Amino acid sequence: MNTCAATDIGAKRTSNQDFYFCSDTPVGILPNLYIVADGMGGHNAGDIASRFCVERFTELVEKSRERTPIQAIEMALKTTNEELIAKANGQKDFEGMGTTFVLATLLDDGSALIANIGDSRLYLINDGIRQITQDHSLVAEMVRNGELKKEEARYHPNKNVVLRALSTQNVVSPDFYRVKVHPGDYLLLCSDGLSDMIEEVEMQKLVNEYEDVEDITRKMVALANENGGKDNITLILIRM
């Protein structure tokens, strides 16, 4: 297994509110752990939210006594969300802050367990490319309801409206997914700063053209910036 992670401020932003965690070694009950979080909020609140949630979540998983990976993830996210609310309580600058959260862990049975909240994504790339997670966003909901075509969603004015996040508003639950992975498969976790700037076909093309995960990662960040770099860009690329 080869992994590479990167984050970039992008071409338009003045601060980076994304945060990631990448460990090929066990974290508590989890055999490995990969997380991408995209912070939201005014001033530096988004930066604080993404960093706090990733760091606190990993601490809780490390100490967890839950018996299954899903239980450990669920309880750690719930506690992290509750502590984020407490952290923001009474601090005006933190009002409305939050973060998306997508994670993956590769289990011993040859499958990947994935959880997500928000619109950061996980893709499975092999002979094709498939988005495994579902965006918790307004336009994604409109696409699922047949109100909007997928190709129209990319440029919709409300495309960045997130309907579910780890935030100061309420405690939310993640969606879980489980997929089989095989030698040569890639898992790509990313913030919308990458997925908004690079078409899925371009992601797969880069994977096909370059073998080294570091080369692919650098090329993806560069292409996202070449295409506008409108947001912070963060990704973790894992090759089985």
Side-chain angles (χ1 to χ4, degrees):
M1 184 169 67
N2 296 317
T3 61
C4 185
T7 188
D8 188 88
I9 195 171
K12 304 293 184 183
R13 297 299 175 98
T14 57
S15 65
N16 192 342
Q17 298 193 336
D18 288 358
F19 198 75
Y20 71 82
F21 179 86
C22 183
S23 176
D24 295 329
T25 57
V27 179
I29 195 175
L30 306 182
N32 42 69
L33 181 59
Y34 311 95
I35 307 169
V36 168
D38 181 357
M40 301 169 287
H43 304 289
N44 63 343
D47 174 33
I48 291 169
S50 60
R51 178 183 290 270
F52 171 80
C53 288
V54 171
E55 291 181 344
R56 186 62 182 132
F57 173 82
T58 55
E59 289 173 2
L60 290 165
V61 169
E62 185 74 58
K63 299 173 184 176
S64 177
R65 296 187 178 182
E66 299 294 338
R67 298 192 174 195
T68 69
I70 288 180
Q71 290 172 335
I73 291 167
E74 281 184 319
M75 289 306 299
L77 279 172
K78 180 176 182 292
T79 301
T80 298
N81 204 161
E82 291 169 346
E83 292 183 5
L84 181 70
I85 292 171
K87 183 178 180 67
N89 189 30
Q91 299 191 57
K92 188 171 180 61
D93 285 348
F94 291 173
E95 185 178 347
M97 76 174 179
T99 185
T100 68
F101 204 92
V102 61
L103 71 86
T105 183
L106 300 167
L107 303 178
D108 294 336
D109 64 359
S111 68
L113 177 64
I114 300 142
N116 90 295
I117 298 171
D119 64 353
S120 292
R121 296 177 176 179
L122 183 141
Y123 292 95
L124 173 64
I125 308 174
N126 37 47
D127 292 337
I129 181 168
R130 179 161 59 106
Q131 181 182 338
I132 302 299
T133 54
Q134 287 193 5
D135 296 350
H136 301 137
S137 66
L138 179 62
V139 295
E141 194 73 14
M142 292 170 70
V143 170
R144 288 192 285 270
N145 292 336
E147 303 169 36
L148 194 68
K149 294 180 180 179
K150 185 177 178 180
E151 53 270 23
E152 296 171 333
R154 191 175 187 87
Y155 305 102
H156 196 279
N158 294 325
K159 73 171 307 301
N160 293 320
V161 176
V162 175
L163 300 180
R164 196 193 309 180
L166 290 172
S167 72
T168 58
Q169 306 304 311
N170 58 328
V171 177
V172 297
S173 298
D175 287 344
F176 283 96
Y177 308 86
R178 196 161 181 159
V179 295
K180 275 288 183 184
V181 290
H182 303 92
D185 286 355
Y186 290 82
L187 292 180
L188 172 64
L189 296 82
C190 64
S191 63
D192 63 352
L194 184 80
S195 57
D196 282 355
M197 294 291 103
I198 302 181
E199 299 277 0
E200 292 177 5
V201 65
E202 293 177 306
M203 296 178 188
Q204 186 178 16
K205 183 179 178 183
L206 287 172
V207 166
N208 291 340
E209 286 183 355
Y210 300 92
E211 188 169 340
D212 185 81
V213 291
E214 291 187 10
D215 288 342
I216 299 168
T217 300
R218 282 196 301 269
K219 294 290 185 181
M220 284 189 175
V221 171
L223 183 57
N225 277 316
E226 286 171 18
N227 289 347
K230 295 180 180 178
D231 202 349
N232 307 144
I233 304 156
T234 302
L235 69 146
I236 299 174
L237 186 65
I238 309 162
R239 184 177 188 269
M240 302 301 115

